[in-house]
Amino acid sequence: MLGLMQSQPLLISSLIQFAERHHGDAEIVSRRVEGDLHRYTYRDLARRARQLANALDADGVASSDRVASLAWNGYRHMELYFGVSGSQRVLHTINPRLHAEQVTWIVNHAEDQILCFDTSFLPIIQAIHDKCPTVKKWVALCDADKLPADSGIPNLVSYEAWIGAQSDVYVWPEFDENTASSLCYTSGTTGNPKGALYSHRSTVLHAFAAALPDVMSISARDAVLPVVPMFHVNAWGTPYMAALTGAKVVFPGPALDGKSVYELIEAEGVTMAAGVPTVWQMLLNHVSANQLKFNTLKRTIIGGSACPPAMIDAFQDQYGVTVLHAWGMTEMSPLGSLSTLKNKHLHLPKDEQMKLLQKQGRAFCGVDLKIVDAEGREQPWDGKSYGDLMARGHWVLQSYFKGSNPLVADENGRGWFPTGDVATIDPDGFMHITDRTKDVIKSGGEWISSIDLENIAMAHPAVAMAACIGMPHPKWDERPIVAVALKPGKQLTREELLQFYEGKTAKWQIPDDVVFVEAIPLGATGKMLKTRLREDLKGYRLPGL
Ligand code: ADP
């Protein structure tokens, strides 16, 4: 017997319809490529998303066709989120920090029909347009009078001219909630990029769950600043969560340096911000160098790579800003876990609480995690046993777009996604990532966590960033070394840093050497690129070998 309640498909258009009706005057503020601030409301956004849907109809873009974006965080990009997906096309967000050849590969693999880009990315479009035969129209996200002249790109229109010609009357269609909504490729640090194809159902469920108080805790009282790019796993779903709750949104555009981000936070009363640790490092450096404080910021969600405990301490102790350490993946929409205390932890001493908050945190309802050994046997949740981390849930990938199905079946035939991370889980369900599988350092048959060693180095006041890698060793198999970039004007010797490790980790885990570098190489999403670091250190030999 079926229940007798109304049934409506979970569609992305329902989020913008809700925001328009119930939070129509809530603001969306964007730093534009031109440098100025643009501000309007959900009501304006909804109206223009409908004009965009009509423009796609007028161009004969079929349902499920891909419409691509190559853009910073801003209001026009948010219109694409709702107008493209809501009208049953698929928004393909492309990372502009990839090489032109990778962008070409992705556009062709996705068979994009239209590509919308910020004018600052014109050189990429000029380099790739004649290699992308599926793209019928190139749309510059600008006013008609700002359209780049003599660009050499055929079928180039300005976004404003394109949608401005259309009516804002449009009825969002209803269709199967499992229909594809958006497409995001992994950054391809290992091999060709792979496409994660999200559905309306997975996106809406992720937004509902991730906005809960134990997760990102987003509400109509918030002003949300997604520093995490909209081309990186849908800015962790924040645009959807903002519409779902009616939160004010503040978009930083291309200005991601510490000063610009700080000024935007203060000027717009931002209460909650989300981004990867490298961005927050720039912000903290700016705030501490200029002896500033945060007047409205209450929480930052930090994830995408391990958040150094020193950063959590700095935000919390010096500035009274709560850090929510989150873990996720492109393949998981992206959120899998986030660190917030349980009721029973509220009376623990502060340092015990901090130990929990430094972990990648608890899974939240809708996604399940487990750790397994090499034979696939589940490992105990004792906070000590390591295992390959596996995930399963409503917003976890089943198979790659035009690609393989990576799932591993358990004894009941249920598929689990192998995350490629190695983790422990404690009895309270707090998951702690020790490494990516390929970064684990194996020394004398034991595993050493590169993340733990990096966190110790980054707690040193002279260190800006640290990356730990294993170097081949004839006796121990591998030994850790730590590559360190110093803060401007700071000095530190190899011996001083090795001394700093004493008492903070087991003696045999202390790195064998310190290599000082100008900067740690970063990948397209701001994460440390250890593959590049290994190449840079090709001729390196461990001391004494
Ligand atoms: P890519 O896999 O292409 O680098 P993703 O953004 O999907 O892009 O990266 C997901 C990976 O990032 C995770 O599998 C994990 O290794 C790492 N990661 C994400 N968040 C954290 C975190 N809080 N702590 C440690 N590692 C993290």
Side-chain angles (χ1 to χ4, degrees):
M1 180 165 66
L2 295 177
L4 292 173
M5 305 307 282
Q6 293 183 11
S7 168
Q8 294 163 5
L10 296 169
L11 298 178
I12 286 172
S13 55
S14 68
L15 303 179
I16 191 60
Q17 281 178 284
F18 170 81
E20 181 182 22
R21 266 175 81 76
H22 299 273
H23 300 278
D25 63 353
E27 273 190 309
I28 294 155
V29 181
S30 314
R31 163 107 36 222
R32 296 207 284 193
V33 176
E34 294 86 350
D36 60 341
L37 275 189
H38 171 276
R39 52 180 76 234
Y40 73 175
T41 63
Y42 279 108
R43 201 172 289 127
D44 301 314
L45 187 146
R47 177 175 47 77
R48 284 163 54 89
R50 292 195 297 270
Q51 287 181 290
L52 168 59
N54 279 325
L56 294 168
D57 282 1
D59 281 355
V61 181
S63 56
S64 291
D65 270 357
R66 269 74 66 202
V67 175
S69 66
L70 196 71
W72 298 110
N73 291 8
Y75 64 104
R76 292 184 179 118
H77 208 168
M78 189 150 168
E79 291 165 13
L80 293 171
Y81 268 47
F82 291 101
V84 172
S85 304
S87 65
Q88 213 180 342
R89 283 92 182 188
V90 176
L91 179 67
H92 170 205
T93 51
I94 305 175
N95 184 341
R97 298 201 185 109
L98 296 173
H99 294 302
E101 303 87 77
Q102 278 175 305
V103 175
T104 309
W105 188 92
I106 290 176
V107 169
N108 287 326
H109 189 263
E111 299 172 71
D112 295 330
Q113 304 291 307
I114 294 183
L115 194 151
C116 306
F117 63 98
D118 271 334
T119 47
S120 47
F121 301 127
L122 182 67
I124 304 180
I125 303 300
Q126 285 172 317
I128 68 165
H129 73 89
D130 55 354
K131 302 182 191 76
C132 302
T134 59
V135 179
K136 299 190 190 73
K137 184 176 242 162
W138 304 88
V139 180
L141 293 165
C142 62
D143 293 334
D145 59 355
K146 300 255 171 43
L147 193 65
D150 308 323
S151 65
I153 301 164
N155 304 321
L156 175 68
V157 296
S158 83
Y159 179 78
E160 295 302 330
W162 184 45
I163 70 163
Q166 299 297 328
S167 152
D168 61 9
V169 178
Y170 180 85
V171 179
W172 297 109
E174 287 210 353
F175 45 85
D176 184 339
E177 63 188 21
N178 290 301
T179 304
S181 61
S182 48
L183 176 64
C184 182
Y185 284 75
T186 60
S187 38
T189 42
T190 49
N192 267 335
K194 289 185 271 200
L197 185 63
Y198 311 113
S199 70
H200 284 260
R201 177 185 159 83
S202 71
T203 305
V204 172
L205 286 177
H206 178 268
F208 269 109
L212 284 171
D214 258 359
V215 195
M216 287 206 192
S217 183
I218 296 183
S219 79
R221 289 167 297 292
D222 276 312
V224 177
L225 174 81
V227 178
V228 53
M230 292 171 83
F231 54 75
H232 190 205
V233 215
N234 300 324
W236 298 348
T238 46
Y240 305 118
M241 284 178 250
L244 177 116
T245 55
K248 172 177 174 177
V249 187
V250 182
F251 286 125
L256 302 177
D257 60 286
K259 181 170 185 289
S260 306
V261 171
Y262 175 79
E263 287 172 0
L264 200 57
I265 289 174
E266 290 298 310
E268 295 302 328
V270 168
T271 57
M272 183 278 211
V276 296
T278 39
V279 168
W280 297 136
Q281 193 60 57
M282 292 193 283
L283 179 67
L284 282 179
N285 290 348
H286 173 76
V287 171
S288 102
N290 296 284
Q291 296 176 344
L292 302 166
K293 59 186 175 89
F294 293 105
N295 290 301
T296 58
L297 188 66
K298 294 194 178 67
R299 311 185 297 292
T300 66
I301 318 284
I302 304 186
S305 50
C307 178
M311 183 176 286
I312 303 183
D313 289 345
F315 265 117
Q316 241 144 258
D317 297 345
Q318 293 169 30
Y319 304 108
V321 176
T322 302
V323 170
L324 299 170
H325 189 194
W327 167 85
M329 303 186 73
T330 304
E331 289 90 336
M332 296 180 60
S333 306
L335 273 185
S337 70
L338 193 137
S339 211
T340 49
L341 300 177
K342 296 182 175 180
N343 179 275
K344 67 188 235 188
H345 300 133
L346 295 180
H347 302 294
L348 287 179
K350 189 167 171 286
D351 58 329
E352 296 288 313
Q353 293 184 344
M354 284 307 285
K355 277 193 196 132
L356 289 171
L357 295 174
Q358 287 164 6
K359 297 187 178 194
Q360 279 74 9
R362 304 181 273 126
F364 52 104
C365 190
V367 54
D368 195 8
L369 300 176
K370 67 174 181 179
I371 44 174
V372 299
D373 66 9
E375 279 73 47
R377 286 181 301 238
E378 184 161 3
Q379 298 301 294
W381 290 20
D382 55 14
K384 293 188 197 74
S385 307
Y386 293 80
D388 292 319
L389 183 64
M390 316 284 282
R392 175 180 155 72
H394 298 299
W395 46 86
V396 180
L397 175 136
Q398 176 161 310
S399 68
Y400 289 100
F401 179 54
K402 298 189 197 168
S404 58
N405 173 344
L407 301 197
V408 180
D410 64 16
E411 61 280 9
N412 301 315
R414 304 216 162 105
W416 290 75
F417 175 75
T419 64
D421 286 324
V422 178
T424 62
I425 304 181
D426 74 13
D428 286 331
F430 283 73
M431 186 270 289
H432 179 50
I433 303 256
T434 55
D435 259 309
R436 293 200 103 168
T437 317
K438 60 183 171 13
D439 292 336
V440 168
I441 301 167
K442 296 178 195 95
S443 177
E446 300 277 354
W447 285 5
I448 300 178
S449 159
S450 65
I451 295 179
D452 287 352
L453 297 185
E454 285 155 9
N455 284 343
I456 295 174
M458 281 199 269
H460 192 287
V463 173
M465 201 180 284
C468 197
I469 54 175
M471 283 289 170
H473 189 284
K475 179 164 175 202
W476 301 112
D477 204 8
E478 278 183 331
R479 287 297 301 157
I481 64 160
V482 60
V484 167
L486 295 180
K487 288 184 183 157
K490 299 278 182 183
Q491 293 195 329
L492 181 69
T493 64
R494 169 184 187 275
E495 283 64 36
E496 281 166 348
L497 185 58
L498 293 182
Q499 183 78 44
F500 187 70
Y501 272 96
E502 300 278 344
K504 298 191 176 74
T505 185
K507 249 195 157 40
W508 63 274
Q509 298 195 348
I510 295 179
D512 276 14
D513 201 6
V514 180
V515 180
F516 292 95
V517 294
E518 271 305 293
I520 304 291
L522 299 180
T525 50
K527 301 187 194 198
M528 295 195 286
L529 208 54
K530 293 197 183 175
T531 41
R532 176 91 50 78
L533 184 65
R534 284 202 185 88
E535 279 167 30
D536 293 350
L537 298 178
K538 219 170 201 159
Y540 173 88
R541 302 200 114 226
L542 282 166
L545 291 186

